Amino acid sequence: EADPDNGFVHELYGRVAQSVGEPDRAQKHFERAARVEGDRQAALMALGQLHAENRNARRASESYEQAAREQASHGHRAARIYTGWANAELMRRRADRAARLAEQALRFEPGHLQALLTRGEAALMTGSATTALSYGRKVLEIPSNKEPAAQVLVARAYAMQNNNAAALRELESAVQ
């Protein structure tokens, strides 16, 4: 029997539509899922991700902010919400706010890889190569992690400090 107010079905429909390259259909179903019974927070997170993928930073930021306010979250889910929000703020060139949101994500999950990278990117955007290096190195210290984005972040921070030899070493390591 059809159930037009099933938020879980609408969220799944949105994810499938997104995966097959139908962002308008995905958006419609994520928005519906956020209005009806179900996991509204998950629907808002998915909507934020969709807007970010479509380079709509303002709408991505709004969706993640709504997700954060929807219900209390902890651990990995909260870290994902605040990291997504921080990335949307980076897209809007709001580095200070992005840094605060990434730090909030790290309070929920201190080793959250994407939050560490986002915090490092925010540091670069504000001109703090030392802070960017610190966050990039934290990512590289995670066991069994070979995240090229962290090596690129570290290389960019070295370049900002005019330490081009160190920047080149990091980049060489990233492509080997």
Side-chain angles (χ1 to χ4, degrees):
E1 184 173 323
D3 184 1
D5 290 330
N6 186 322
F8 295 107
V9 172
H10 283 287
E11 182 193 342
L12 178 60
Y13 195 150
R15 289 186 187 282
V16 171
Q18 183 178 13
S19 74
V20 297
E22 295 190 29
D24 293 338
R25 185 177 288 190
Q27 180 177 336
K28 173 185 161 191
H29 287 282
F30 289 147
E31 288 173 348
R32 179 69 186 246
R35 289 192 309 268
V36 298
E37 288 299 314
D39 190 346
R40 290 184 183 112
Q41 190 175 56
L44 289 164
M45 290 169 61
L47 190 58
Q49 180 183 355
L50 178 70
H51 288 310
E53 288 174 6
N54 291 322
R55 308 303 297 162
N56 189 334
R58 181 186 59 80
R59 302 251 345 249
S61 183
E62 290 168 356
S63 295
Y64 281 114
E65 183 175 6
Q66 277 184 278
R69 297 183 193 299
E70 178 64 30
Q71 68 188 42
S73 295
H74 306 285
H76 186 69
R77 180 178 256 202
R80 285 180 44 225
I81 291 168
Y82 282 94
T83 300
W85 190 1
N87 278 315
E89 292 299 322
L90 272 182
M91 289 170 53
R92 297 174 83 182
R93 313 294 298 163
R94 295 177 170 179
D96 289 335
R97 184 161 190 194
R100 287 192 304 275
L101 291 166
E103 288 170 5
Q104 181 69 27
L106 291 166
R107 283 193 279 283
F108 287 109
E109 188 177 333
H112 192 276
L113 184 129
Q114 195 59 44
L116 291 165
L117 289 170
T118 300
R119 181 59 185 92
E121 288 294 335
L124 277 181
M125 196 177 280
T126 61
S128 178
T130 304
T131 302
L133 275 171
S134 172
Y135 283 97
R137 286 183 180 135
K138 286 179 185 183
V139 172
L140 295 173
E141 290 169 2
I142 296 172
S144 73
N145 176 49
K146 295 292 182 197
E147 180 58 54
Q151 290 175 294
V152 171
L153 173 66
V154 168
R156 289 172 55 216
Y158 278 136
M160 184 181 277
Q161 293 177 330
N162 293 319
N163 188 345
N164 295 328
L168 289 172
R169 276 194 307 277
E170 283 298 326
L171 292 171
E172 186 64 30
S173 177
V175 297
Q176 297 272 334

